[in-house]
Amino acid sequence: MNGNAIYHVYLGNEKHYDFGSVAAIYDRLTPEQLGVSLSRLWSFGIAPGRPYKNKRCTIYRGVIQR
């Protein structure tokens, strides 16, 4: 996506965060909070239309419109 990706992280129904990369998510949130490790997210391959979901979080990838 050449720097145009945005990752939307939803923790339950209460909190929403936006990040510029999968790695940046772990600068703010822990694997315990998310219920998933960084390596697992990389191997899953979050893509537009293919979000990662578990009982603690949902992570979507989108495109920043510039």
Side-chain angles (χ1 to χ4, degrees):
M1 286 205 162
N2 300 326
N4 292 325
I6 186 167
Y7 293 87
H8 305 280
V9 178
Y10 296 89
L11 290 178
N13 293 326
E14 300 175 15
K15 295 191 179 181
H16 171 236
Y17 303 92
D18 293 318
F19 298 95
S21 71
V22 173
I25 296 169
Y26 290 87
D27 289 339
R28 173 85 163 103
L29 303 168
T30 67
E32 292 77 21
Q33 289 174 298
L34 297 167
V36 65
S37 67
L38 175 58
S39 61
R40 173 70 182 114
L41 285 184
W42 278 337
S43 67
F44 179 81
I46 299 170
R50 185 171 186 243
Y52 175 84
K53 296 180 183 182
N54 68 21
K55 65 181 181 178
R56 293 187 185 181
C57 73
T58 302
I59 304 173
Y60 295 92
R61 181 170 134 187
V63 177
I64 296 173
Q65 301 298 321
R66 299 182 191 212

